[in-house]
DNA sequence: CAGCCTTGGTTAAAGTTTGAAACAAACCTA
DNA sequence: TAGGTTTGTTTCAAACTTTAACCAAGGCTG
């Protein structure tokens, strides 16, 4: 089956999306590194904990909620634990599990840095979008996420395809 | 000035966007690592070169086009050079500059792996979206990118803000 | 042209991410 | 209940990223 290349319109959308994603993550990382001394991912981990009853979550659940691998979470929690923002606690009823718990200091950091973070996001994203576009963004984002969360991206059966010049081999950077 | 927190609607949009971004990048990285033996970023670098006349670009321009730091690019190009997919060449008229040039082998890798990559992107993104939504995605992405490319995210003058419970401190993970 | 700022690119060290493998506890099942 | 599998988590090495220097070549200004 011959490759369904991206149309010019799709290419434009893809590039715009990728550019937004990269620039946005860079900007947020810079801002949070400045103000909170941690990258966005780590901030997100704290934020995720802060939403839970008791400010605690099992490692696996926290990894899933943060959409990262367990291994990556282990490293992050170790670092945040060193900083005193999280502490671990063994699970009583399942000795394999352990909890990550937001400390008071961790909560304080969150409280102190949340306004700046929200302001950055707002300036870059929501100040730029109409009410309607915010809805569209949610719909589109959800559609993409849904496609990826379920079916584990059934890897396409790659096959030979003649090269077409004058049309970039990439669907985007 | 008191923080302009995200509305529930904005929160939903933000979370959906973040989830899509993370899951998508993970899926693409996995696929490309499998089929091309390199992460998405490196593939993008090759792709960016392939679009240029002569398949060459000065390091700085390539970094800018790829939206990464020069340092990061140096590392990536060194790796890709080791793999024989790129070679460097000094610039004749400005002895500070050097070019990164896509080799024939690099081009071949691109040709071989592009179909699989496009298929992955299509399955996760464009197969999920209506024609209208593709347009919306471009518009929204461009708006965000524009906001970030120009004004260098004027860092908000952080100030004290009373903590509001029962509403997560995060604008998203 | 000498001093000084800018530009293009690399390097080194510290930090982070990945992917596979290791471990141990919990859960079957015959 | 022994043996095998699954589940929760960590560990380790290799790959990648970041940040802050660093160096050399170009440009500019007096």
């Amino acid at each position: 089956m011959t490759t369904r290349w991206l149309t010019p319109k799709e290419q434009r959308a893809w590039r715009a999306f990728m550019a937004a994603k990269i620039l946005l993550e860079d900007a947020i990382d810079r801002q949070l590194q400045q103000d909170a001394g941690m990258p966005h991912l780590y901030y997100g981990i704290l934020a995720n904990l802060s939403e839970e009853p008791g400010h605690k979550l099992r490692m696996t659940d926290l990894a899933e909620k943060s959409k990262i691998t367990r291994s990556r979470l282990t490293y992050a929690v170790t670092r945040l634990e060193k900083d005193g923002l999280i502490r671990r606690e063994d699970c009583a009823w399942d000795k394999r599990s352990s909890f990550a718990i937001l400390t008071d200091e961790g909560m304080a950091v969150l409280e102190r840095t949340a306004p700046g973070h929200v302001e950055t996001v707002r300036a870059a994203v929501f100040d730029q979008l109409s009410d309607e576009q915010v809805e569209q963004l949610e719909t589109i984002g959800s559609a993409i996420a849904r496609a990826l969360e379920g079916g584990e991206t059934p890897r396409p059966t790659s096959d030979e395809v003649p090269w077409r010049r004058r049309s970039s081999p990439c669907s985007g950077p």
Side-chain angles (χ1 to χ4, degrees), chain A residues 83-117:
Chain A
D83 296 348
L85 309 184
I86 279 184
R87 68 190 164 74
R88 288 178 215 249
E89 194 170 283
D90 289 345
C91 175
W93 63 89
D94 184 342
K95 294 198 177 150
R96 292 168 303 180
S97 307
S98 63
F99 285 99
I101 309 179
L102 192 59
T103 64
D104 290 348
E105 194 184 340
M107 193 62 193
V109 168
L110 225 37
E111 294 174 7
R112 182 168 58 68
T113 57
H117 172 55

Side-chain angles (χ1 to χ4, degrees), chain A residues 44-113:
Chain A
I45 290 171
L46 297 185
N48 280 338
L49 280 178
S50 79
E51 291 173 352
E52 294 299 318
H55 289 177
K56 68 196 301 191
L57 216 45
R58 282 185 343 156
M59 290 294 280
T60 293
D61 297 333
L62 182 52
E64 175 152 15
K65 182 164 184 177
S66 305
K67 302 199 186 309
I68 60 179
T69 61
R70 298 194 286 297
S71 153
R72 193 175 177 183
L73 180 64
T74 293
Y75 180 90
V77 167
T78 302
R79 197 265 229 193
L80 291 169
E81 198 175 25
K82 245 170 230 150
D83 296 348
L85 309 184
I86 279 184
R87 68 190 164 74
R88 288 178 215 249
E89 194 170 283
D90 289 345
C91 175
W93 63 89
D94 184 342
K95 294 198 177 150
R96 292 168 303 180
S97 307
S98 63
F99 285 99
I101 309 179
L102 192 59
T103 64
D104 290 348
E105 194 184 340
M107 193 62 193
V109 168
L110 225 37
E111 294 174 7
R112 182 168 58 68
T113 57

Side-chain angles (χ1 to χ4, degrees), chain A residues 67 137-154:
Chain A
K67 302 199 186 309
L137 180 57
E138 188 199 341
T139 306
I140 292 171
S142 300
I144 295 174
R146 178 161 18 82
L148 291 167
E149 301 214 274
E152 270 320 294
T153 324

